[in-house]
Amino acid sequence: MSQSEPTAAAVYPVPDAFAATARIRREDYERDYAAALADPDAYWARVAQRLDWFVPPTKTRDVSYALEDFRIRWFEDGVLNVSVNCLDRHLAARGDKTALIFEPDDPAKPAQRISYRELHARVCKLANALRNLGVKKGDRVTIYLPMTPDAVVAIQACARIGAIHSVVFGGFSPNSIADRIADCTSKLVITADEGLRGGKTVPLKANVDAALKMPGTNSVETVLVVRHTGGAVDMQMPRDRWYDAVVDDQPAECEPERMNAEDPLFILYTSGSTGKPKGVLHTTAGYLVWASYTHESVFDLREDDVFWCTADVGWVTGHSYVAYGPLANGGTGIVFEGVPNYPNVSRFWEVIDKHQVTIFYTAPTAIRALMREGEAPVKKTSRASLRLLGSVGEPINPEAWRWYHEVVGDSRCPIVDTWWQTETGGILISPLPGATDLKPGSATIPFFGVQPALVDANGAILDGATEGNLVLLDSWPGQMRTVYGDHARFIETYFKTYPGMYFTGDGCRRDEDGYYWITGRVDDVINVSGHRIGTAEVESALVSHPLVAEAAVVGFNHDIKGQGIYAYVTLVAGEAPTEDLRKALVAHVRKEIGPIATPDFVQWAPGLPKTRSGKIMRRILRKIAENAPDQLGDTSTLADPSVVKSLVDERLVK
Ligand code: 6R9
């Protein structure tokens, strides 16, 4: 699967009909992009007026990437509340407008429409309940919920009282929950009895129970449990409280906490190249400016749009483009509990028709999986309501792009291929649909204020059409501010590789039109179906099994998932590899991290290729996993070159 095409790639010009009514046209983009670089203070001071402030900021930006004098601050003397911006300020004009449409896993169950007024009341009730339970500004709250409106309510309620939320994806294991609770010492956990996905239940409360038995989790005083499926759960009093019993009788008004612009809003754990997932910390004003401004601009938002981002709130895309951006903009968003192939592979398109979705935003992995099912499941639906499509999470290969454009969008809807990261808070490189001609597979050009550059291994900036490592030369309001509890790791991870620049961890090509083509991670992060998994995490899960002596994990190209996980395992002396043991190791990783980290291949490795200083040479392991044994390159620096031959001979993909 090729991620990038020759630069003579087809160009899809902005459709005239789209440009005619677009918020931002080509000349607007060019003017505003230049304006944001020429005078960032003036530009962002103006953009910040899109928010409602208790006290408007007088300072706009204070940024230095210099290691000895490092700081990132935006709008620092402003005072505001995020939930007021997402809810209260819409009540007068949009109180009865639908804020969220809930489409349950089972299409036979009724969908729900929740107005801004109703959502405001639900958020206020939970916010009051949290305060009564002793949650104060700055306390951490872990949210482990299914993809239902309760998740959005929980996020907004935390924002209302200034509690820092940490959403943990419902597919993560008790171990992963425990690590995340321990890292930020959460006081309270909001969960549900069970989740529901593709007709199967997920034992959310039982997973929390198991997590809270693990060391480091005794900061948790209360577990609030939403009744979702009605499935049986163990309630351990007084720790565990039913959500409805604690929340339903609360007043439907709640005084919002006055938050400083730079007060933390949330922590979201994400995988990096080393160690355990790190807590990416976003703050209040800059994040909301970025989530709302990019949502409005990139998706060319109109008052009557129905916006559907299929991402779970457990990922950053679900934060910025389900729980925050659309609400800050007074939009109508869909919350979808289900999966693309349940009860059948037309589900996405049926939901689009059912709720008259106008903007649809999903991941390439879903497109590729549905593409495999052929056109019929798509073509039997109308999709006439659609006007814009979006892609996020990984590079979209041109083939999948064209299918998305022609089959799903009937060649009518532009596609915004949006490149960004948990760390960036929102979209940084993307077409603007009324301004940017499209090239399938390219995320195209930078958003206002974003200064990408490509550098070589030494950090020298490369000009013109070229390929290199993607860096950002200056800050933008939505940038993460720190790794929770470990500022040194923040600096180390992002600002030390290339001093004076933010390093994204991605490789990228730029063509002669200045279009950016992301080629994928250049660090030890694997992107499985748009979800980041660190090779170190999977390795540490594997070696925690008593029969494993050593493990090395690499990514390989996978037709549907983008990348898959390939593990090389060395057993402890005297242990013989068996099929049962292989299955047990796969199950062990699933239990330690969660099903998204399931290795696709486990190859027995009598030895691993290492340098004389003991470093595993992953470059070689990657080539073996990709079935390219003729491209191993120089193996002369290996401590024992003979191990390579046996790994090549025994490789699992030929
Ligand atoms: C939003 C999100 C970030 C990594 C990023 C890159 C990859 C995301 C992409 C893309 C090519 C796109 N990525 N969007 N690659 N084209 N449109 O996905 O955040 O989970 O932190 O992942 O995903 O490799 O560095 P996150």
Side-chain angles (χ1 to χ4, degrees):
M1 186 181 65
S2 85
Q3 307 285 13
S4 52
E5 284 210 321
T7 46
V11 175
Y12 290 64
V14 176
D16 291 340
F18 206 100
T21 60
R23 277 179 175 275
I24 301 166
R25 298 181 215 184
R26 194 182 313 270
E27 57 280 15
D28 306 318
Y29 170 77
E30 284 166 3
R31 185 196 58 231
D32 285 3
Y33 187 77
L37 294 200
D39 189 350
D41 278 281
Y43 191 86
W44 294 108
R46 183 177 61 74
V47 173
Q49 291 171 11
R50 61 187 295 107
L51 300 187
D52 275 11
W53 301 82
F54 297 133
V55 181
T58 65
K59 299 182 185 164
T60 302
R61 48 171 268 141
D62 182 16
V63 172
S64 164
Y65 285 177
L67 297 182
E68 62 286 357
D69 186 26
F70 187 92
R71 57 192 190 277
I72 304 172
R73 295 183 202 124
W74 286 87
F75 317 114
E76 65 180 291
D77 59 351
V79 179
L80 75 168
N81 180 280
V82 164
S83 89
V84 167
N85 276 278
C86 292
L87 301 167
D88 305 46
R89 66 165 168 164
H90 305 310
L91 293 181
R94 301 186 178 105
D96 295 322
K97 181 174 175 175
T98 301
L100 299 176
I101 299 173
F102 175 52
E103 172 66 22
D105 185 56
D106 177 357
K109 290 212 186 113
Q112 294 164 22
R113 299 180 79 89
I114 301 169
S115 68
Y116 271 93
R117 201 180 318 286
E118 198 182 334
L119 187 61
H120 176 264
R122 282 175 66 171
V123 167
C124 285
K125 286 184 174 196
L126 175 57
N128 285 324
L130 292 175
R131 275 196 181 134
N132 285 346
L133 290 165
V135 179
K136 294 183 297 296
K137 176 177 174 177
D139 287 344
R140 277 78 57 210
V141 170
T142 294
I143 297 174
Y144 185 67
L145 282 171
M147 189 55 189
T148 64
D150 292 306
V152 178
V153 170
I155 286 171
Q156 289 285 343
C158 288
R160 193 159 193 95
I161 63 169
I164 306 169
H165 60 74
S166 159
V167 182
V168 177
F169 172 57
F172 277 129
S173 66
N175 250 308
S176 300
I177 306 168
D179 283 350
R180 286 158 173 75
I181 287 174
D183 185 77
C184 70
T185 55
S186 290
K187 196 170 195 175
L188 185 141
V189 177
I190 307 177
T191 190
D193 46 10
E194 294 172 322
L196 212 47
R197 269 169 70 86
K200 297 194 191 89
T201 55
V202 185
L204 298 176
K205 173 61 165 64
N207 286 349
V208 171
D209 291 342
L212 293 183
K213 292 201 175 82
M214 295 177 182
T217 56
N218 57 13
S219 55
V220 174
E221 295 168 6
T222 309
V223 179
L224 271 188
V225 186
V226 174
R227 279 186 223 269
H228 182 48
T229 62
V233 294
D234 280 340
M235 293 296 276
Q236 181 189 310
M237 300 302 176
R239 184 194 72 184
D240 299 347
R241 313 283 295 268
W242 286 110
Y243 184 101
D244 45 14
V246 178
V247 173
D248 285 0
D249 293 336
Q250 293 292 329
E253 295 288 341
C254 170
E255 188 61 23
E257 198 72 34
R258 294 166 71 89
M259 303 296 286
N260 181 267
E262 285 294 345
D263 281 338
L265 177 63
F266 67 83
I267 301 165
L268 184 56
Y269 287 86
T270 192
S271 297
S273 37
T274 55
K276 289 199 166 170
K278 46 186 179 282
V280 168
L281 185 112
H282 282 286
T283 57
T284 300
Y287 172 79
L288 195 66
V289 164
W290 201 257
S292 68
Y293 187 44
T294 53
H295 176 254
E296 181 186 271
S297 311
V298 173
F299 298 106
D300 186 49
L301 195 71
R302 316 272 177 75
E303 190 61 50
D304 56 358
D305 271 320
V306 176
F307 178 80
W308 183 13
C309 166
T310 65
D312 191 283
V313 287
W315 311 109
V316 74
T317 309
H319 281 57
S320 301
Y321 301 111
V322 178
Y324 284 120
L327 294 176
N329 291 329
T332 297
I334 304 241
V335 173
F336 177 51
E337 186 183 18
V339 295
N341 58 359
Y342 175 83
N344 61 62
V345 294
S346 292
R347 185 74 193 275
F348 272 180
W349 328 122
E350 284 166 357
V351 172
I352 287 171
D353 284 353
K354 178 172 175 187
H355 298 300
Q356 292 294 289
V357 171
T358 58
I359 306 170
F360 179 66
Y361 188 36
T362 195
T365 187
I367 300 298
R368 287 192 296 264
L370 293 170
M371 187 173 147
R372 226 189 211 188
E373 307 289 336
E375 295 187 11
V378 190
K379 290 298 180 191
K380 72 179 211 207
T381 63
S382 157
R383 290 157 288 104
S385 56
L386 286 175
R387 64 184 196 87
L388 181 61
L389 301 171
S391 173
V392 60
E394 50 175 320
I396 180 163
N397 47 307
E399 228 188 315
W401 192 102
R402 281 190 290 268
W403 188 83
Y404 196 22
H405 187 258
E406 284 157 29
V407 180
V408 176
D410 286 322
S411 303
R412 180 185 71 244
C413 309
I415 297 177
V416 288
D417 176 359
T418 62
W419 175 85
W420 58 294
Q421 312 180 296
T422 306
E423 294 88 338
T424 71
I427 296 163
L428 292 199
I429 302 181
S430 169
L432 299 182
T436 319
D437 296 339
L438 307 174
K439 297 186 190 184
S442 172
T444 76
I445 53 177
F447 190 72
F448 304 121
V450 175
Q451 295 180 60
L454 302 182
V455 296
D456 67 16
N458 302 316
I461 294 183
L462 306 167
D463 292 323
T466 187
E467 187 162 346
N469 292 331
L470 180 64
V471 297
L472 299 158
L473 299 180
D474 205 347
S475 184
W476 61 98
Q479 181 166 29
M480 73 181 283
R481 299 299 196 264
T482 192
V483 170
Y484 186 80
D486 197 349
H487 198 60
R489 187 173 176 199
F490 175 55
I491 310 270
E492 180 74 36
T493 308
Y494 303 102
F495 299 96
K496 278 216 174 132
T497 321
Y498 303 115
M501 308 170 191
Y502 167 87
F503 178 42
T504 63
D506 279 337
C508 185
R509 185 167 69 78
R510 185 173 53 221
D511 69 18
E512 47 274 16
D513 296 324
Y515 274 42
Y516 289 85
W517 302 71
I518 310 294
T519 50
R521 302 289 304 196
V522 293
D523 54 7
D524 289 319
V525 171
I526 310 179
N527 190 328
V528 182
S529 302
H531 303 313
R532 283 162 63 166
I533 315 279
T535 54
E537 279 173 79
V538 185
E539 286 164 5
S540 96
L542 283 166
V543 297
S544 74
H545 189 281
L547 299 185
V548 174
E550 200 168 28
V553 168
V554 296
F556 66 97
N557 288 337
H558 186 287
D559 281 348
I560 303 289
K561 298 194 270 191
Q563 283 194 295
I565 299 177
Y566 195 114
Y568 297 85
V569 171
T570 307
L571 295 175
V572 295
E575 280 304 321
T578 62
E579 185 51 24
D580 282 349
L581 180 53
R582 198 194 63 79
K583 286 193 184 132
L585 293 184
V586 170
H588 182 69
V589 174
R590 291 171 65 95
K591 182 175 119 317
E592 289 290 307
I593 305 175
I596 55 168
T598 308
D600 297 272
F601 295 104
V602 175
Q603 178 174 351
W604 306 115
L608 292 169
K610 289 185 188 166
T611 61
R612 286 187 199 98
S613 62
K615 237 178 157 244
I616 295 173
M617 291 188 73
R618 287 165 203 285
R619 172 175 63 79
I620 292 173
L621 295 176
R622 273 188 216 112
K623 290 295 176 195
I624 297 173
E626 280 167 14
N627 191 25
D630 49 331
Q631 295 169 26
L632 296 184
D634 183 11
T635 55
S636 63
T637 57
L638 286 174
D640 176 8
S642 71
V643 299
V644 173
K645 186 181 179 315
S646 80
L647 289 179
V648 167
D649 291 345
E650 305 283 311
R651 70 188 187 277
L652 298 173
V653 187
K654 291 191 188 174

